[in-house]
Amino acid sequence: MKKIQIRIVVYGFIFTVFLLLLLNWTLETIIHSRKEVVVPNLIGKNLYESLDLLEPLNLGLRKSAVEYDKNLPTGVVIRQNPSAGMIVREGKIVQITVSIGGESVFTPLLVGLNLRQAEIKIRASALALGDINRIYSIKHPTDYVIEQTPQQGSRIQKGSVVNISISAGPPPEGVVLFPDFFGAGVESVMKWSEQSGLPVEYSYEDNFKQVGKVLRQAPPPDTVLSSTHTVAVVVGK
């Protein structure tokens, strides 16, 4: 009985080995029956272009990784494996690393900061200070940021330039700036008009909470005025 059991085990082992050898031989036969092809160059191509190149060669495509690259648009192939020019058999999967563009950040709020504070905040956001435009202002203190481009909250690439306009303080004699009258009484507009010698067009809009107050004005505050400008305010009534 014991000899029979041993024989069964031995025969079973031999049969298993035979099946494995047969399976290996079958797979090798299938693999080696596939044609050899040359891997095309996918670097610099987008995913659709890569698929168009691989499909006629019966090669597959798999995105194995993504990387930030400020020099390449999103979706463009940075690296591939196997490399271009290698000879492989049909059915081979080409692994690619794809660009997701430059790493992006959000533009910080700079308006209301002085120049030094703005520079520090720009650097802390991995951005660069660009043009500094100085404009006269009676609304903002000297050397404080009045405007910024791009605007706060804009999504831009790391290292991008942020341009700012800062106050150069009150203008020299002879230069007239339009004050900020928003929320002020209409009497202050009339007084300014009398002192500056510039006429103002008045219009009125129903607003029981802001009766006699300026709701809107044109042009914007700190605009340099000349005799050709049309100055207008909308007042609540």
Side-chain angles (χ1 to χ4, degrees):
M1 186 69 178
K2 206 170 198 180
K3 289 182 179 180
I4 294 175
Q5 290 176 339
I6 292 172
R7 284 179 183 175
I8 292 173
V9 172
V10 171
Y11 292 153
F13 175 76
I14 293 171
F15 183 70
T16 302
V17 171
F18 172 76
L19 285 178
L20 290 174
L21 290 172
L22 180 62
L23 179 61
N24 183 62
W25 176 82
T26 304
L27 290 174
E28 285 188 359
T29 301
I30 293 172
I31 290 171
H32 287 88
S33 66
R34 295 173 180 172
K35 289 193 306 182
E36 289 185 334
V37 293
V38 178
V39 179
N41 185 14
L42 306 180
I43 295 174
K45 306 289 193 303
N46 61 39
L47 294 177
Y48 296 107
E49 291 171 329
S50 299
L51 287 170
D52 286 342
L53 289 172
L54 295 177
E55 188 176 5
L57 302 173
N58 289 324
L59 297 176
L61 181 69
R62 179 177 297 143
K63 183 175 71 174
S64 58
V66 295
E67 285 185 12
Y68 289 112
D69 192 320
K70 65 180 181 180
N71 298 316
L72 291 175
T74 301
V76 169
V77 178
I78 301 173
R79 284 188 299 278
Q80 67 180 83
N81 183 33
S83 303
M86 287 190 65
I87 297 175
V88 297
R89 293 192 180 275
E90 290 180 328
K92 180 71 176 178
I93 302 295
V94 180
Q95 309 274 351
I96 58 172
T97 299
V98 177
S99 168
I100 52 174
E103 190 171 357
S104 59
V105 294
F106 290 101
T107 311
L109 175 62
L110 304 175
V111 174
L113 302 179
N114 62 38
L115 180 56
R116 178 61 179 158
Q117 291 170 331
E119 286 180 303
I120 293 171
K121 202 162 188 179
I122 287 171
R123 289 197 193 99
S125 300
L127 299 170
L129 177 60
D131 295 334
I132 302 175
N133 183 32
R134 296 180 181 271
I135 56 178
Y136 295 123
S137 175
I138 54 178
K139 179 180 178 181
H140 301 276
T142 303
D143 283 341
Y144 275 71
V145 179
I146 300 172
E147 298 173 351
Q148 65 180 85
T149 305
Q151 299 297 317
Q152 177 213 3
S154 301
R155 189 168 186 168
I156 58 178
Q157 287 189 0
K158 266 188 177 181
S160 296
V161 168
V162 180
N163 301 313
I164 60 175
S165 295
I166 65 172
S167 170
E173 189 175 348
V175 177
V176 179
L177 300 184
F178 194 27
D180 184 5
F181 287 118
F182 178 75
V186 68
E187 300 83 5
S188 60
V189 182
M190 294 176 177
K191 184 178 179 180
W192 172 83
S193 176
E194 184 180 347
Q195 291 175 343
S196 64
L198 294 174
V200 178
E201 295 180 359
Y202 299 92
S203 59
Y204 294 85
E205 185 177 287
D206 289 331
N207 191 320
F208 69 92
K209 291 184 179 180
Q210 297 289 328
V211 175
K213 305 291 184 182
V214 175
L215 305 178
R216 294 185 298 281
Q217 68 179 76
D222 285 338
T223 299
V224 178
L225 299 176
S226 67
S227 57
T228 60
H229 269 97
T230 299
V231 177
V233 296
V234 178
V235 182
K237 67 174 184 176

